[in-house]
Amino acid sequence: MQMQQISITHGVEAIAPKRHLVFAYYVSGHGFGHATRVVEVVRHLIRAGHDVHMVTGAPDFVFTSEIQSPRLLFRKVVLDCGAVQADALTVDPIASLEKISDVVPIACRAAADAGIRSVCVTNFSWDFIYVEYVMVAGSHYRSVLQQIAEDYSHSEFVIRLPGYSPMPAFRGVIDVPLVVRRLHKSREEVRKDLGVPDDVKLVIFNFGGQPAGWKLKEEYLPAGWLCLVCGASDNQELPPNFIKLAKDVYTPDLIAASDCMLGKIGYGTVSEAMAYKLPFIFIRRDYFNEEPYLREMLEYYQGGVEMARRDMLSGCWIPYLERAVNLKPCYEGGTNGGELAAHILQDTAVGKNCVLDKQNKVRRLQDVMVHGCQPQKVPGNDILVPDWYTLAENKLGLHN
């Protein structure tokens, strides 16, 4: 396979083709992040007059909170296991591999068999995520990775989001800016609704799957701070300086109205933190291969503070909060990736071919080499993939 760069002009208006189109959009139900990035793409497709069938195990409200249209239809299907987690921060690699059956990439193969074009929209592919699991579980699971990569190869190309990891299985790639959900309310309106004065510091605790039996305590926050808690259970009791949010709350408005965020790294949280210039205090997770790339992007734009897991659980939050509010996130790039992705999907659906750029052979080589190296890492002697890229460029003369 030859990886190719497909050039498009950023900032174009998503204009509907003359014919009415029907899209089947397969979305992983693993966490909300996969669904939230899809919302903005789907909104533009429906706005252009097309029908979109969401095939997913994710809750409907993630989509309907932003899109109310009879053209948005749902088919509830558990498409994949994503990653089986022992807790909010720890993945069980063996259980994840054993639970895999029909994963989302199979939609690419099914579409090819039906004579329908398919495109993926993502910042990572599951074969790259699962490759580290195989290192732990044993090489007899390697066929799972091979099948996933083969399924991906049946797609036309991948619409690649910022903070991407190596994705060698795809035949072509289009890069788009951040895909983020639009704001419904201003910072002032949100704080007024919450009854929070402007001089009060707000941290949004965006941390699904909180450890069982773990309690948030008043002394975790500095004086004059309040914490908005996403994903709290109905019976969870909170101190007076913590505010429980409804499960279907529209988080982009709250993120933009806060002074910093505390949570786990994922595309949805990182992209919205960057788009709304919100400092992000993050906790690393085990066996999440996408993290180094998102973390590198977050730190490049001066928006990230890493918190030790033990400090998060023990409540040693104050030094991190005080450091975060002094950051000056500086991302000035585009946030119209959803509009551009919708435009590309429409063009692909009506048979338009993209202009190919032959300058991406080196990126293809890097992706393949890194992907091939991953299963051979030796515990205790690892090298971060971004570091590997730098070494490769210096020693082998490989440049983007």
Side-chain angles (χ1 to χ4, degrees):
M1 293 183 295
Q2 179 181 359
M3 180 67 95
Q4 299 162 316
Q5 181 74 28
I6 304 173
S7 299
I8 59 171
T9 301
H10 288 181
V12 298
E13 181 72 19
I15 302 173
K18 293 180 180 179
R19 56 187 276 196
H20 169 258
L21 301 172
V22 177
F23 293 87
Y25 212 135
Y26 289 77
V27 185
S28 171
H30 178 69
F32 285 174
H34 301 281
T36 57
R37 81 184 67 172
V38 168
V39 168
E40 192 65 9
V41 180
V42 172
R43 186 175 72 84
H44 282 285
L45 290 174
I46 289 177
R47 182 183 175 189
H50 307 307
D51 290 353
V52 180
H53 293 252
M54 300 302 309
V55 187
T56 183
D60 291 0
F61 76 79
V62 178
F63 306 95
T64 56
S65 61
E66 175 66 0
I67 305 168
Q68 297 85 40
S69 171
R71 295 187 180 278
L72 178 64
L73 304 111
F74 293 91
R75 182 156 66 91
K76 306 302 291 185
V77 178
V78 177
L79 295 164
D80 63 355
C81 70
V84 177
Q85 296 183 226
D87 56 44
L89 295 169
T90 307
V91 168
D92 187 329
I94 296 177
S96 296
L97 290 171
E98 288 179 346
K99 194 174 180 181
I100 294 174
S101 56
D102 292 340
V103 292
V104 174
I106 202 172
C108 301
R109 178 61 181 267
D113 289 345
I116 300 171
R117 293 186 173 195
S118 66
V119 174
C120 292
V121 184
T122 186
N123 67 301
F124 73 84
S125 56
W126 285 111
D127 53 331
F128 189 68
I129 299 299
Y130 291 146
V131 72
E132 193 170 8
Y133 302 4
V134 172
M135 292 163 52
V136 175
S139 59
H140 55 283
Y141 286 103
R142 193 180 298 271
S143 62
V144 174
L145 305 185
Q146 294 170 342
Q147 184 61 59
I148 292 173
E150 182 182 342
D151 288 344
Y152 280 135
S153 72
H154 288 280
S155 65
E156 298 293 313
F157 50 82
V158 59
I159 297 175
R160 191 169 62 176
L161 307 181
Y164 56 83
S165 62
M167 292 186 280
F170 294 100
R171 296 178 292 165
V173 57
I174 297 178
D175 286 311
V176 298
L178 291 176
V179 175
V180 293
R181 292 174 290 177
R182 59 178 180 167
L183 298 181
H184 291 171
K185 297 181 179 179
S186 68
R187 175 186 175 93
E188 292 72 25
E189 288 173 323
V190 172
R191 284 178 168 253
K192 182 179 179 181
D193 291 345
L194 293 171
V196 177
D198 287 341
D199 60 347
V200 171
K201 295 292 186 185
L202 270 182
V203 54
I204 182 167
F205 186 56
N206 200 348
F207 197 93
Q210 298 171 28
W214 180 61
K215 293 184 179 180
L216 295 164
K217 298 179 181 179
E218 187 172 356
E219 59 266 27
Y220 288 6
L221 302 179
W225 281 67
L226 289 174
C227 180
L228 307 177
V229 182
C230 301
S233 62
D234 294 335
N235 58 359
Q236 184 176 0
E237 296 183 4
L238 297 179
N241 51 350
F242 286 77
I243 300 173
K244 186 185 299 187
L245 299 173
K247 286 187 170 54
D248 60 352
V249 70
Y250 190 66
T251 54
D253 288 346
L254 296 165
I255 288 173
S258 298
D259 295 287
C260 64
M261 177 160 56
L262 172 55
K264 300 173 290 187
I265 282 185
Y267 178 82
T269 49
V270 169
S271 63
E272 289 175 351
M274 286 176 53
Y276 303 122
K277 292 184 171 57
L278 186 74
F280 189 0
I281 305 167
F282 62 87
I283 298 94
R284 290 197 195 189
R285 291 180 287 178
D286 299 325
Y287 300 110
F288 275 85
N289 270 351
E290 68 168 325
E291 273 199 7
Y293 306 93
L294 292 171
R295 186 175 72 244
E296 183 180 38
M297 180 173 66
L298 187 66
E299 292 176 343
Y300 178 83
Y301 291 107
Q302 303 175 37
V305 175
E306 182 179 351
M307 175 187 277
R309 188 181 306 186
R310 63 180 179 275
D311 288 338
M312 193 275 286
L313 295 174
S314 66
C316 184
W317 293 13
I318 293 177
Y320 299 97
L321 293 171
E322 291 177 344
R323 180 183 171 195
V325 294
N326 288 315
L327 293 178
K328 302 295 182 185
C330 59
Y331 178 77
E332 297 291 346
T335 58
N336 63 333
E339 179 184 4
L340 291 172
H343 182 88
I344 295 163
L345 292 173
Q346 290 174 111
D347 282 352
T348 304
V350 298
K352 290 186 179 179
N353 293 320
C354 297
V355 178
L356 301 182
D357 182 347
K358 298 181 180 179
Q359 300 301 314
N360 202 38
K361 291 183 179 179
V362 170
R363 169 58 67 185
R364 166 66 177 159
L365 176 62
Q366 288 177 328
D367 281 359
V368 171
M369 291 178 71
V370 171
H371 195 274
C373 281
Q374 285 296 101
Q376 301 172 34
K377 291 196 303 182
V378 178
N381 193 30
D382 294 350
I383 181 170
L384 290 176
V385 174
D387 295 336
W388 185 94
Y389 275 159
T390 302
L391 290 172
E393 290 173 357
N394 292 339
K395 292 183 179 180
L396 303 178
L398 301 178
H399 298 283
N400 291 339

